[in-house]
Structure formats: C-alpha cells, structure tokens
mmCIF file of all heavy atoms in Angstrom:
data_model
loop_
_atom_site.group_PDB
_atom_site.id
_atom_site.type_symbol
_atom_site.label_atom_id
_atom_site.label_comp_id
_atom_site.label_asym_id
_atom_site.label_seq_id
_atom_site.Cartn_x
_atom_site.Cartn_y
_atom_site.Cartn_z
ATOM 1 N N ALA S 1 -5.444 -0.676 -16.525
ATOM 2 C CA ALA S 1 -6.459 -1.653 -16.884
ATOM 3 C C ALA S 1 -7.826 -1.230 -16.358
ATOM 4 O O ALA S 1 -8.646 -2.019 -15.927
ATOM 5 C CB ALA S 1 -6.107 -3.046 -16.349
ATOM 6 N N MET S 2 -8.021 0.091 -16.361
ATOM 7 C CA MET S 2 -9.331 0.646 -15.951
ATOM 8 C C MET S 2 -9.570 1.927 -16.745
ATOM 9 O O MET S 2 -8.658 2.549 -17.246
ATOM 10 C CB MET S 2 -9.376 0.898 -14.459
ATOM 11 C CG MET S 2 -8.298 1.834 -13.920
ATOM 12 S SD MET S 2 -8.321 2.067 -12.129
ATOM 13 C CE MET S 2 -7.765 0.540 -11.490
ATOM 14 N N THR S 3 -10.852 2.232 -16.821
ATOM 15 C CA THR S 3 -11.237 3.470 -17.542
ATOM 16 C C THR S 3 -12.534 3.989 -16.945
ATOM 17 O O THR S 3 -13.140 3.345 -16.114
ATOM 18 C CB THR S 3 -11.369 3.196 -19.054
ATOM 19 O OG1 THR S 3 -11.487 4.432 -19.737
ATOM 20 C CG2 THR S 3 -12.529 2.291 -19.348
ATOM 21 N N ASP S 4 -12.969 5.138 -17.426
ATOM 22 C CA ASP S 4 -14.201 5.746 -16.952
ATOM 23 C C ASP S 4 -14.801 6.595 -18.035
ATOM 24 O O ASP S 4 -14.018 7.147 -18.831
ATOM 25 C CB ASP S 4 -13.883 6.556 -15.707
ATOM 26 C CG ASP S 4 -15.140 6.830 -14.830
ATOM 27 O OD1 ASP S 4 -16.075 7.481 -15.335
ATOM 28 O OD2 ASP S 4 -15.144 6.385 -13.679
ATOM 29 N N LEU S 5 -16.088 6.729 -18.089
ATOM 30 C CA LEU S 5 -16.695 7.627 -19.071
ATOM 31 C C LEU S 5 -16.360 9.069 -18.801
ATOM 32 O O LEU S 5 -16.338 9.916 -19.688
ATOM 33 C CB LEU S 5 -18.218 7.421 -19.094
ATOM 34 C CG LEU S 5 -18.688 6.130 -19.679
ATOM 35 C CD1 LEU S 5 -20.197 6.011 -19.492
ATOM 36 C CD2 LEU S 5 -18.318 5.973 -21.100
ATOM 37 N N ASN S 6 -16.077 9.389 -17.522
ATOM 38 C CA ASN S 6 -15.702 10.728 -17.131
ATOM 39 C C ASN S 6 -14.241 10.793 -16.828
ATOM 40 O O ASN S 6 -13.771 10.261 -15.836
ATOM 41 C CB ASN S 6 -16.522 11.110 -15.882
ATOM 42 C CG ASN S 6 -16.284 12.540 -15.472
ATOM 43 O OD1 ASN S 6 -15.151 13.030 -15.465
ATOM 44 N ND2 ASN S 6 -17.333 13.219 -15.057
ATOM 45 N N ALA S 7 -13.464 11.424 -17.692
ATOM 46 C CA ALA S 7 -11.994 11.469 -17.589
ATOM 47 C C ALA S 7 -11.578 12.139 -16.245
ATOM 48 O O ALA S 7 -10.598 11.677 -15.612
ATOM 49 C CB ALA S 7 -11.363 12.178 -18.759
ATOM 50 N N ASP S 8 -12.261 13.189 -15.831
ATOM 51 C CA ASP S 8 -11.890 13.875 -14.579
ATOM 52 C C ASP S 8 -12.164 12.937 -13.382
ATOM 53 O O ASP S 8 -11.366 12.930 -12.467
ATOM 54 C CB ASP S 8 -12.722 15.140 -14.417
ATOM 55 C CG ASP S 8 -12.350 16.228 -15.402
ATOM 56 O OD1 ASP S 8 -11.173 16.213 -15.895
ATOM 57 O OD2 ASP S 8 -13.179 17.116 -15.682
ATOM 58 N N ALA S 9 -13.241 12.187 -13.419
ATOM 59 C CA ALA S 9 -13.530 11.260 -12.303
ATOM 60 C C ALA S 9 -12.462 10.176 -12.262
ATOM 61 O O ALA S 9 -12.043 9.733 -11.172
ATOM 62 C CB ALA S 9 -14.920 10.641 -12.505
ATOM 63 N N HIS S 10 -11.999 9.693 -13.428
ATOM 64 C CA HIS S 10 -10.956 8.681 -13.501
ATOM 65 C C HIS S 10 -9.679 9.196 -12.874
ATOM 66 O O HIS S 10 -9.066 8.560 -12.016
ATOM 67 C CB HIS S 10 -10.718 8.274 -14.961
ATOM 68 C CG HIS S 10 -9.594 7.362 -15.126
ATOM 69 N ND1 HIS S 10 -9.631 6.019 -14.906
ATOM 70 C CD2 HIS S 10 -8.294 7.665 -15.558
ATOM 71 C CE1 HIS S 10 -8.447 5.480 -15.170
ATOM 72 N NE2 HIS S 10 -7.573 6.440 -15.552
ATOM 73 N N VAL S 11 -9.250 10.381 -13.287
ATOM 74 C CA VAL S 11 -8.029 10.981 -12.766
ATOM 75 C C VAL S 11 -8.139 11.203 -11.277
ATOM 76 O O VAL S 11 -7.184 10.900 -10.518
ATOM 77 C CB VAL S 11 -7.697 12.306 -13.526
ATOM 78 C CG1 VAL S 11 -6.582 13.051 -12.831
ATOM 79 C CG2 VAL S 11 -7.367 12.005 -14.959
ATOM 80 N N ASN S 12 -9.255 11.694 -10.761
ATOM 81 C CA ASN S 12 -9.475 11.906 -9.360
ATOM 82 C C ASN S 12 -9.298 10.591 -8.575
ATOM 83 O O ASN S 12 -8.635 10.542 -7.525
ATOM 84 C CB ASN S 12 -10.826 12.549 -9.085
ATOM 85 C CG ASN S 12 -11.039 12.819 -7.614
ATOM 86 O OD1 ASN S 12 -10.327 13.619 -7.043
ATOM 87 N ND2 ASN S 12 -11.999 12.131 -7.041
ATOM 88 N N SER S 13 -9.946 9.528 -9.076
ATOM 89 C CA SER S 13 -9.852 8.230 -8.391
ATOM 90 C C SER S 13 -8.428 7.736 -8.344
ATOM 91 O O SER S 13 -7.929 7.331 -7.313
ATOM 92 C CB SER S 13 -10.752 7.185 -9.098
ATOM 93 O OG SER S 13 -12.125 7.547 -8.995
ATOM 94 N N VAL S 14 -7.741 7.761 -9.500
ATOM 95 C CA VAL S 14 -6.391 7.227 -9.603
ATOM 96 C C VAL S 14 -5.386 8.054 -8.814
ATOM 97 O O VAL S 14 -4.503 7.485 -8.140
ATOM 98 C CB VAL S 14 -5.936 7.137 -11.103
ATOM 99 C CG1 VAL S 14 -4.484 6.845 -11.201
ATOM 100 C CG2 VAL S 14 -6.789 6.053 -11.824
ATOM 101 N N THR S 15 -5.508 9.381 -8.828
ATOM 102 C CA THR S 15 -4.481 10.197 -8.142
ATOM 103 C C THR S 15 -4.800 10.552 -6.692
ATOM 104 O O THR S 15 -3.852 10.764 -5.920
ATOM 105 C CB THR S 15 -4.285 11.522 -8.937
ATOM 106 O OG1 THR S 15 -5.492 12.249 -9.002
ATOM 107 C CG2 THR S 15 -3.801 11.211 -10.334
ATOM 108 N N ARG S 16 -6.069 10.619 -6.349
ATOM 109 C CA ARG S 16 -6.404 11.062 -4.983
ATOM 110 C C ARG S 16 -6.991 9.983 -4.076
ATOM 111 O O ARG S 16 -6.698 9.969 -2.883
ATOM 112 C CB ARG S 16 -7.396 12.212 -5.070
ATOM 113 C CG ARG S 16 -6.791 13.454 -5.681
ATOM 114 C CD ARG S 16 -7.742 14.636 -5.593
ATOM 115 N NE ARG S 16 -7.127 15.842 -6.094
ATOM 116 C CZ ARG S 16 -7.378 16.353 -7.274
ATOM 117 N NH1 ARG S 16 -8.252 15.784 -8.068
ATOM 118 N NH2 ARG S 16 -6.779 17.468 -7.677
ATOM 119 N N ILE S 17 -7.755 9.086 -4.635
ATOM 120 C CA ILE S 17 -8.457 8.111 -3.794
ATOM 121 C C ILE S 17 -7.704 6.809 -3.681
ATOM 122 O O ILE S 17 -7.476 6.276 -2.586
ATOM 123 C CB ILE S 17 -9.881 7.874 -4.288
ATOM 124 C CG1 ILE S 17 -10.686 9.181 -4.158
ATOM 125 C CG2 ILE S 17 -10.546 6.728 -3.566
ATOM 126 C CD1 ILE S 17 -12.019 9.203 -4.832
ATOM 127 N N PHE S 18 -7.270 6.247 -4.810
ATOM 128 C CA PHE S 18 -6.645 4.904 -4.784
ATOM 129 C C PHE S 18 -5.377 4.853 -3.956
ATOM 130 O O PHE S 18 -5.150 3.802 -3.284
ATOM 131 C CB PHE S 18 -6.415 4.415 -6.206
ATOM 132 C CG PHE S 18 -7.643 4.097 -6.959
ATOM 133 C CD1 PHE S 18 -7.616 3.944 -8.316
ATOM 134 C CD2 PHE S 18 -8.888 4.033 -6.336
ATOM 135 C CE1 PHE S 18 -8.762 3.623 -9.049
ATOM 136 C CE2 PHE S 18 -10.067 3.739 -7.025
ATOM 137 C CZ PHE S 18 -9.990 3.517 -8.383
ATOM 138 N N PRO S 19 -4.490 5.869 -3.944
ATOM 139 C CA PRO S 19 -3.307 5.743 -3.091
ATOM 140 C C PRO S 19 -3.642 5.559 -1.609
ATOM 141 O O PRO S 19 -2.818 4.979 -0.873
ATOM 142 C CB PRO S 19 -2.578 7.072 -3.342
ATOM 143 C CG PRO S 19 -2.979 7.469 -4.729
ATOM 144 C CD PRO S 19 -4.449 7.068 -4.805
ATOM 145 N N GLY S 20 -4.782 5.948 -1.152
ATOM 146 C CA GLY S 20 -5.189 5.713 0.207
ATOM 147 C C GLY S 20 -5.813 4.373 0.470
ATOM 148 O O GLY S 20 -5.964 3.927 1.610
ATOM 149 N N LEU S 21 -6.135 3.638 -0.605
ATOM 150 C CA LEU S 21 -6.772 2.338 -0.469
ATOM 151 C C LEU S 21 -5.828 1.170 -0.733
ATOM 152 O O LEU S 21 -6.108 0.025 -0.311
ATOM 153 C CB LEU S 21 -7.958 2.189 -1.455
ATOM 154 C CG LEU S 21 -9.086 3.227 -1.233
ATOM 155 C CD1 LEU S 21 -10.145 3.017 -2.311
ATOM 156 C CD2 LEU S 21 -9.720 3.026 0.148
ATOM 157 N N GLY S 22 -4.709 1.448 -1.421
ATOM 158 C CA GLY S 22 -3.802 0.385 -1.721
ATOM 159 C C GLY S 22 -2.658 0.890 -2.582
ATOM 160 O O GLY S 22 -2.417 2.061 -2.698
ATOM 161 N N GLU S 23 -2.012 -0.057 -3.241
ATOM 162 C CA GLU S 23 -0.901 0.281 -4.105
ATOM 163 C C GLU S 23 -1.406 0.383 -5.523
ATOM 164 O O GLU S 23 -2.351 -0.303 -5.942
ATOM 165 C CB GLU S 23 0.142 -0.800 -4.068
ATOM 166 C CG GLU S 23 0.783 -0.930 -2.662
ATOM 167 C CD GLU S 23 1.841 -2.006 -2.659
ATOM 168 O OE1 GLU S 23 2.919 -1.799 -3.220
ATOM 169 O OE2 GLU S 23 1.573 -3.084 -2.007
ATOM 170 N N THR S 24 -0.837 1.272 -6.287
ATOM 171 C CA THR S 24 -1.219 1.441 -7.679
ATOM 172 C C THR S 24 -0.010 1.122 -8.562
ATOM 173 O O THR S 24 1.153 1.291 -8.173
ATOM 174 C CB THR S 24 -1.680 2.871 -7.985
ATOM 175 O OG1 THR S 24 -0.619 3.779 -7.710
ATOM 176 C CG2 THR S 24 -2.906 3.251 -7.187
ATOM 177 N N GLY S 25 -0.292 0.628 -9.745
ATOM 178 C CA GLY S 25 0.766 0.280 -10.708
ATOM 179 C C GLY S 25 0.155 -0.093 -12.028
ATOM 180 O O GLY S 25 -1.084 -0.184 -12.160
ATOM 181 N N ILE S 26 1.013 -0.348 -13.002
ATOM 182 C CA ILE S 26 0.529 -0.807 -14.284
ATOM 183 C C ILE S 26 0.631 -2.319 -14.349
ATOM 184 O O ILE S 26 1.356 -2.928 -13.549
ATOM 185 C CB ILE S 26 1.302 -0.126 -15.456
ATOM 186 C CG1 ILE S 26 2.746 -0.492 -15.424
ATOM 187 C CG2 ILE S 26 1.062 1.366 -15.448
ATOM 188 C CD1 ILE S 26 3.539 -0.063 -16.658
ATOM 189 N N VAL S 27 -0.133 -2.940 -15.210
ATOM 190 C CA VAL S 27 -0.213 -4.384 -15.249
ATOM 191 C C VAL S 27 1.147 -5.046 -15.384
ATOM 192 O O VAL S 27 1.434 -6.016 -14.657
ATOM 193 C CB VAL S 27 -1.161 -4.824 -16.457
ATOM 194 C CG1 VAL S 27 -1.081 -6.314 -16.631
ATOM 195 C CG2 VAL S 27 -2.579 -4.399 -16.178
ATOM 196 N N ALA S 28 1.992 -4.552 -16.285
ATOM 197 C CA ALA S 28 3.289 -5.139 -16.488
ATOM 198 C C ALA S 28 4.134 -5.157 -15.190
ATOM 199 O O ALA S 28 4.785 -6.166 -14.876
ATOM 200 C CB ALA S 28 4.060 -4.412 -17.579
ATOM 201 N N GLU S 29 4.044 -4.077 -14.423
ATOM 202 C CA GLU S 29 4.778 -4.017 -13.131
ATOM 203 C C GLU S 29 4.219 -5.020 -12.140
ATOM 204 O O GLU S 29 4.963 -5.694 -11.438
ATOM 205 C CB GLU S 29 4.696 -2.605 -12.564
ATOM 206 C CG GLU S 29 5.396 -1.530 -13.307
ATOM 207 C CD GLU S 29 5.097 -0.135 -12.807
ATOM 208 O OE1 GLU S 29 4.022 0.062 -12.097
ATOM 209 O OE2 GLU S 29 5.837 0.768 -13.109
ATOM 210 N N ILE S 30 2.911 -5.067 -12.100
ATOM 211 C CA ILE S 30 2.248 -6.009 -11.126
ATOM 212 C C ILE S 30 2.569 -7.417 -11.485
ATOM 213 O O ILE S 30 2.923 -8.199 -10.564
ATOM 214 C CB ILE S 30 0.736 -5.748 -11.135
ATOM 215 C CG1 ILE S 30 0.402 -4.314 -10.626
ATOM 216 C CG2 ILE S 30 -0.017 -6.807 -10.304
ATOM 217 C CD1 ILE S 30 -0.982 -3.850 -10.899
ATOM 218 N N VAL S 31 2.490 -7.801 -12.739
ATOM 219 C CA VAL S 31 2.817 -9.182 -13.151
ATOM 220 C C VAL S 31 4.250 -9.485 -12.824
ATOM 221 O O VAL S 31 4.582 -10.562 -12.292
ATOM 222 C CB VAL S 31 2.527 -9.378 -14.634
ATOM 223 C CG1 VAL S 31 3.058 -10.689 -15.159
ATOM 224 C CG2 VAL S 31 1.018 -9.314 -14.901
ATOM 225 N N GLU S 32 5.154 -8.550 -13.104
ATOM 226 C CA GLU S 32 6.590 -8.780 -12.833
ATOM 227 C C GLU S 32 6.800 -9.033 -11.316
ATOM 228 O O GLU S 32 7.548 -9.934 -10.960
ATOM 229 C CB GLU S 32 7.388 -7.589 -13.276
ATOM 230 C CG GLU S 32 8.900 -7.745 -13.021
ATOM 231 C CD GLU S 32 9.728 -6.555 -13.441
ATOM 232 O OE1 GLU S 32 9.232 -5.725 -14.233
ATOM 233 O OE2 GLU S 32 10.865 -6.467 -12.945
ATOM 234 N N LEU S 33 6.175 -8.232 -10.479
ATOM 235 C CA LEU S 33 6.363 -8.398 -9.050
ATOM 236 C C LEU S 33 5.791 -9.749 -8.571
ATOM 237 O O LEU S 33 6.391 -10.400 -7.735
ATOM 238 C CB LEU S 33 5.659 -7.261 -8.280
ATOM 239 C CG LEU S 33 6.397 -5.880 -8.418
ATOM 240 C CD1 LEU S 33 5.499 -4.784 -7.847
ATOM 241 C CD2 LEU S 33 7.730 -5.945 -7.713
ATOM 242 N N VAL S 34 4.648 -10.158 -9.099
ATOM 243 C CA VAL S 34 4.057 -11.418 -8.704
ATOM 244 C C VAL S 34 4.952 -12.572 -9.140
ATOM 245 O O VAL S 34 5.221 -13.495 -8.410
ATOM 246 C CB VAL S 34 2.640 -11.584 -9.287
ATOM 247 C CG1 VAL S 34 2.145 -12.991 -9.103
ATOM 248 C CG2 VAL S 34 1.677 -10.580 -8.579
#
C-alpha cells in the first residue's frame, strides 16, 4: 500500500530500512492479524 516515483528508492526502503523500524507485511495479512 505504498509506492515511490523512484523504484530503486522504494526497494531500498522496503528491504533495508523498514525492517529496522518495524514489521512489514501486506494489507491482507495485517488486516487478518488485527
């Protein structure tokens, strides 16, 4: 549920930065857990 004009910047954020800030998942998984 996120995107970026720069595909490389998006991938970097999702794969390298976000795992250090919290949990990552897709909307369906998040809704199911909640």
Side-chain angles (χ1 to χ4, degrees):
M2 58 182 71
T3 190
D4 200 297
L5 291 174
N6 182 320
D8 291 336
H10 173 81
V11 170
N12 182 63
S13 295
V14 170
T15 61
R16 293 189 176 101
I17 296 170
F18 292 167
L21 297 176
E23 297 180 71
T24 60
I26 62 171
V27 171
E29 293 170 340
I30 296 166
V31 169
E32 180 182 341
L33 289 170
V34 169

